[in-house]
Amino acid sequence: MFTYDYIIIGAGASGLLLADALGKDPYFSDKAVLLLDKSLNRTNDRTWCFWEMGPGEFDDLIYKSWNHIHVADKNYSKRIPIAPYKYKMLRAKEFYKNFDKKIKEYANICLLEGSVTAIEDKGTAVLVQTNTDTYEAKQVFNSIFDYKQLLNQKKYPVLQQHFIGWFVKTPQPTFDVDQATFMDFSIPQKGNTRFMYVLPISKTQALVEYTLFSEHPLPAQEYESAIADYLLTNFNCPDYTIIQKERGNIPMSCYDFNLQNSANVLHIGVAGGWAKPSSGYTFMRTHQKVKELVPFLKKGLPFTSFSKKNRFWFYDLLLLDILYRDNSKGHLIFGALFKNRDPQSIFKFLDEQTSLIEDIKVIAACPKKEFILALLRRVFSF
């Protein structure tokens, strides 16, 4: 049996960010850390995007950024400056390469390959079983996500943010390189919350993504047909080359992920509920959660006391209640929000950095009837 102080399961964004935080903090220099992943032969399997004010810690890895966003539905279309924010794009390829290198330079961290088959908190230690070995640690951080834990409960609605994206190259200049299409609801909604998301890399290259906030994913062909229709209808672009495809699915739920934790096993990343329930944005929230977790570890408290609910959790819950009850309401809610409030206020609200008065101003921009009814249903259980 191999023994460590900490085991981090999964070398994705949450695992690598946590391993790096432990590696560079002198407090943990005498702690043995194992970072365990099922495959270390990783590909450029995803793209993370986030908004940020001014320079950031990941700027050296940023692939592209934008100073304007585009929001639209059938009745309006707005190109909006977002300064002092920038909307930033980070590709997995550069992120993995950079952080893998950093992790290998920490003397106290070991990076190994192995598929985890079981995790057991024994009270005084945690056993982690892989297909070939058994490891023991005082504490374990687990980023393996299983949708069943959400679907097997009925207290909180569960939606999915699911999408397919094409990286396309066009023969003629097609895209506005300083504008990210944030949400375009002008496409057929078909009873759901559906929008297009476009990230131009150059005038002839862009990521074009068909995204839904709904209960169930679609057949792959439906996403791809929608992307092709959008390129033809909105960009008059029937001729293009698909360079790469990406596909994703992010849970949207206010389920209490802390129920999955034990005193010595903490779920992190999407598995820990670190994705923003109302939007699916995960990367910067994971970065912030890791910053909160490091000082928490130094206090020696049980992991069951790490997660705390706040008022933003309740706001997210009301929105998900509305969309779960009537999934067609999404374009009305987000459309009204961007029509009536500037993106700077919205970004600050989604970052959970607003005051209560600022919260009320943002929420008041949304259709009031739906949120009042959702609040009453939660309070009076009808």
Side-chain angles (χ1 to χ4, degrees):
M1 185 181 297
F2 305 93
T3 302
Y4 296 85
D5 292 288
Y6 302 113
I7 295 176
I8 302 170
I9 300 172
S14 59
L16 287 171
L17 288 170
L18 178 55
D20 179 57
L22 298 180
K24 65 187 178 186
D25 190 323
Y27 179 87
F28 301 97
S29 61
D30 62 343
K31 307 294 184 184
V33 181
L34 171 63
L35 178 57
L36 193 60
D37 197 272
K38 63 183 179 181
S39 175
L40 299 181
N41 183 25
R42 289 172 292 176
T43 60
N44 192 36
D45 58 350
R46 67 194 66 205
T47 301
W48 294 291
C49 287
F50 52 91
W51 52 84
E52 190 170 32
M53 196 182 297
E57 294 184 38
F58 304 100
D59 280 359
D60 289 344
L61 303 177
I62 295 301
Y63 189 68
K64 184 73 173 72
S65 64
W66 297 269
N67 296 305
H68 297 77
I69 62 169
H70 174 232
V71 181
D73 65 15
K74 289 186 178 297
N75 301 312
Y76 82 104
S77 179
K78 296 172 67 176
R79 184 182 194 271
I80 318 168
I82 59 174
Y85 289 94
K86 279 182 177 287
Y87 194 62
K88 301 180 179 183
M89 178 186 192
L90 176 60
R91 299 197 313 171
K93 180 180 178 181
E94 285 80 16
F95 179 81
Y96 292 151
K97 181 179 179 181
N98 179 271
F99 274 79
D100 281 350
K101 181 180 178 181
K102 292 170 69 174
I103 299 307
K104 289 174 182 176
E105 291 174 353
Y106 297 128
N108 62 322
I109 299 181
C110 179
L111 178 60
L112 294 178
E113 191 171 283
S115 294
V116 173
T117 57
I119 304 169
E120 185 179 4
D121 188 346
K122 293 284 194 179
T124 57
V126 182
L127 297 182
V128 176
Q129 180 69 51
T130 71
N131 48 350
T132 57
D133 295 296
T134 300
Y135 302 93
E136 181 183 87
K138 296 175 182 176
Q139 294 180 310
V140 168
F141 309 93
N142 182 22
S143 67
I144 299 174
F145 173 66
D146 184 354
Y147 253 115
K148 288 187 289 186
Q149 65 191 24
L150 300 184
L151 300 178
N152 289 339
Q153 56 83 41
K154 301 300 179 185
K155 186 174 182 179
Y156 302 108
V158 179
L159 298 176
Q160 302 178 49
Q161 180 184 150
H162 47 102
F163 55 87
I164 284 180
W166 288 354
F167 284 89
V168 298
K169 183 176 178 60
T170 62
Q172 302 296 330
T174 303
F175 306 105
D176 181 347
V177 294
D178 198 36
Q179 169 186 283
T181 296
F182 197 68
M183 286 181 159
D184 185 350
F185 290 104
S186 65
I187 60 175
Q189 296 296 289
K190 301 181 181 181
N192 298 126
T193 298
R194 304 183 181 214
F195 59 92
M196 299 302 300
Y197 178 64
V198 183
L199 302 179
I201 309 304
S202 69
K203 290 182 179 180
T204 58
Q205 292 188 57
L207 169 61
V208 184
E209 207 162 79
Y210 186 56
T211 304
L212 287 82
F213 296 170
S214 67
E215 193 173 355
H216 302 292
L218 305 173
Q221 184 56 45
E222 189 165 346
Y223 302 90
E224 304 212 2
S225 295
I227 296 172
D229 289 345
Y230 189 76
L231 285 167
L232 180 61
T233 303
N234 290 68
F235 294 100
N236 191 28
C237 182
D239 185 20
Y240 49 82
T241 301
I242 302 171
I243 302 170
Q244 183 184 337
K245 296 182 182 182
E246 69 173 30
R247 183 170 193 162
N249 188 311
I250 303 168
M252 303 176 70
S253 179
C254 285
Y255 167 75
D256 186 0
F257 285 82
N258 194 46
L259 296 173
Q260 306 300 125
N261 298 327
S262 66
N264 300 303
V265 177
L266 179 71
H267 289 74
I268 61 174
V270 171
W274 291 5
K276 177 73 170 170
S278 58
S279 68
Y281 280 91
T282 307
F283 184 82
M284 287 305 285
R285 281 175 62 87
T286 295
H287 178 48
Q288 183 58 44
K289 286 289 187 181
V290 168
K291 284 188 170 183
E292 296 170 9
L293 179 55
V294 169
F296 176 87
L297 290 175
K298 296 176 183 179
K299 297 177 183 178
L301 298 173
F303 284 155
T304 49
S305 63
F306 176 65
S307 298
K308 303 292 183 184
K309 295 176 184 177
N310 57 24
R311 66 183 190 276
F312 296 97
W313 172 88
F314 191 69
Y315 303 154
D316 287 345
L317 177 61
L318 294 181
L319 174 64
L320 294 179
D321 279 347
I322 294 167
L323 296 184
Y324 188 77
R325 191 178 184 88
D326 185 349
N327 197 235
S328 69
K329 298 285 188 182
H331 77 101
L332 297 174
I333 294 170
F334 288 103
L337 185 60
F338 279 95
K339 282 180 187 176
N340 298 319
R341 294 293 179 267
D342 61 80
Q344 292 84 353
S345 299
I346 298 168
F347 288 165
K348 187 178 180 182
F349 176 74
L350 292 175
D351 283 338
E352 304 183 359
Q353 295 176 351
T354 44
S355 66
L356 184 58
I357 292 175
E358 290 172 317
D359 296 350
I360 293 170
K361 289 179 180 179
V362 171
I363 295 170
C366 300
K368 298 174 180 58
K369 176 185 174 183
E370 284 77 9
F371 279 90
I372 291 171
L373 286 173
L375 174 62
L376 292 175
R377 289 189 186 101
R378 276 291 164 186
V379 173
F380 296 106
S381 302
F382 71 88

